């Protein structure tokens, strides 16, 4: 009898708990300040328990309706003798130093992610590429801090093409990129771990850990 | 004679160009606005060509002197039959939806990255882990937008330990995490590509692409 009562009570409590849970929602947003490129907002939101909360958020002023700001490119340069990728080294004022990143850039108005990827790869590295798959679904960069979303595109560079024999970057005014061609199997992790080299971006660093893990898992 | 003159002139122009290049530098920073957790700054900086420029920057108000804000954990759960990792699903107001991320969290004052990794893994997932290597060098999250830096720590979870038989998360007030245990070889990319699942963070998505690439390169 007591056991039955306990089970019923327990079930009731669990049911009540699960019924009180609700999808979290944004109730309103307040623009605290805005500059040319960035805005600082405070969101008022209601969490799963119905509790009213605040969250401070950074937003690019350039973000379009899709919510996707930029494209990140994984360049694959395959030949009979090598399997390489391309990294871009550039000075980034927010971290006050040069960084190592995959080629990337904002998506222009009216462009698809794939079109932006091929354009940015040509501009930043000089290489002409081809996309065999599709872009990734939108992914977030730092979702505890910013609205920023990107799509990832893997681009294959045919090294036998005449236009890829002497690639020349076409940088915008004020852009200063150094392009590094790095072996995926043997060079990437070493470059990223070298403290005398520029600071890697997290996504690139995690890519290299995943790559090494994949290589070691099947060997 | 003409050829010699051309070579001399060309060498001179190149020398002049390389001499005019200088390390970029931050000249001053202006605080535009600040909330409890985030600040919006505009940096005045001088680029490699000596041109004065502006850059808008988001900064966590919690960042300590080291500049490293947080730790990202790669959990490795290995048994005789499986090789899994742990993903955390949680609602993130800045992107107005739930995300899939590796366990992560801010580093407390006086904590090392490794200490923070073991503490956060226990809090967010309930698992007790061990670190065999060291933390990564600091890496940046989105260096075109924010100062934010993190360190990455790979944590091994011994599934035979009594404390890992029935792991229970120890969430702070207001934290609502769902933990997913996912096969590294067979499940990770599928989960991240499934549009009905939460939005992945870029670093995790690139990790899974690297992992698949490593697996296919050695098979």
């Amino acid at each position: 009898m007591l056991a039955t009562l306990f089970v019923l009570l327990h079930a009731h409590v669990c049911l009540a708990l699960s019924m009180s849970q609700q999808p979290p929602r944004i109730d309103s947003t307040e623009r605290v300040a805005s500059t040319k490129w960035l805005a600082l907002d405070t969101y008022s939101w209601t969490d799963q328990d119905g509790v009213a909360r605040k969250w401070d958020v950074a937003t690019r002023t350039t973000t379009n309706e899709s919510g996707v700001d930029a494209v990140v490119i994984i360049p694959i340069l395959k030949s009979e003798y090598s399997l390489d990728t391309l990294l871009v080294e550039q000075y980034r004022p927010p971290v006050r130093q040069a960084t190592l990143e995959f080629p990337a850039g904002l998506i222009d108005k009216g462009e698809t992610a794939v079109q932006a990827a091929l354009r940015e790869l040509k501009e930043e590295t000089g290489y002409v590429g081809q996309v065999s798959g599709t872009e990734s679904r939108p992914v977030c960069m730092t979702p505890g801090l910013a609205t920023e979303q990107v799509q990832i595109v893997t681009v294959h560079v045919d090294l036998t093409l005449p236009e890829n024999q002497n690639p020349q970057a076409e940088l915008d005014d004020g852009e200063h990129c150094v392009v590094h061609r790095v072996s995926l199997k043997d060079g990437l992790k070493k470059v990223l771990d070298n403290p005398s080299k520029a600071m890697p971006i997290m996504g690139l660093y995690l890519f290299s850990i995943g790559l090494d893990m994949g290589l070691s898992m099947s060997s």
Side-chain angles (χ1 to χ4, degrees), chain A:
Chain A
M1 174 65 188
L2 262 179
T4 310
L5 188 63
F6 174 78
V7 167
L8 282 172
L9 274 172
H10 184 71
H12 178 76
V13 169
C14 291
L15 193 65
L17 272 176
S18 100
M19 280 180 71
S20 78
Q21 293 267 319
Q22 55 189 26
R25 63 168 191 271
I26 307 294
D27 298 308
S28 64
T29 68
E30 180 203 353
R31 176 122 316 173
V32 178
S34 183
T35 56
K36 185 176 178 190
W37 298 102
L38 279 186
L40 175 57
D41 296 321
T42 296
Y43 289 8
S44 298
W45 67 291
T46 302
D47 77 5
Q48 289 87 334
D49 299 324
V51 177
R53 297 184 179 277
K54 303 274 188 186
W55 201 286
D56 298 325
V57 181
T59 303
R60 284 188 188 278
T61 55
T62 48
T63 303
N64 64 25
E65 284 164 14
S66 75
V68 178
D69 297 279
V71 67
V72 173
I73 302 138
I74 307 178
I76 304 292
L77 285 65
K78 193 175 181 177
S79 78
E80 201 178 334
Y81 311 103
S82 61
L83 182 59
D84 299 336
T85 193
L86 300 171
L87 307 183
V88 173
E89 180 178 345
Q90 61 190 315
Y91 183 78
R92 293 291 210 170
V95 289
R96 297 167 181 256
Q97 60 191 290
T99 61
L100 282 172
E101 302 170 49
F102 278 132
L106 297 180
I107 300 174
D108 285 345
K109 203 174 172 180
E111 249 185 351
T112 65
V114 166
Q115 287 166 341
L118 295 176
R119 176 183 55 73
E120 282 286 349
L121 185 71
K122 181 84 172 69
E123 286 176 11
E124 287 196 348
T125 73
Y127 282 102
V128 174
Q130 291 170 307
V131 174
S132 57
T134 56
E135 67 273 21
S136 78
R137 60 191 292 216
V139 298
C140 47
M141 293 292 289
T142 178
L145 188 156
T147 57
E148 194 179 26
Q149 294 174 27
V150 303
Q151 287 181 281
I152 298 164
V153 180
T154 302
V155 177
H156 296 271
V157 174
D158 182 346
L159 293 170
T160 65
L161 289 182
E163 50 267 51
N164 286 333
Q165 298 315 306
N166 184 25
Q168 300 293 326
E170 303 157 1
L171 298 175
D172 290 337
D173 173 48
E175 276 192 314
H176 298 84
C177 294
V178 179
V179 178
H180 300 278
R181 184 171 159 178
V182 181
S183 162
L184 277 167
K185 263 191 178 174
D186 308 316
L188 185 55
K189 190 69 169 38
K190 277 181 215 156
V191 168
L192 302 183
D193 275 334
N194 184 338
S196 72
K197 303 281 185 191
M199 173 183 277
I201 187 170
M202 184 183 79
L204 172 61
Y205 197 90
L206 282 175
F207 173 88
S208 81
I209 294 181
L211 185 75
D212 280 4
M213 211 174 273
L215 285 166
S216 70
M217 272 159 67
S218 26
S219 62

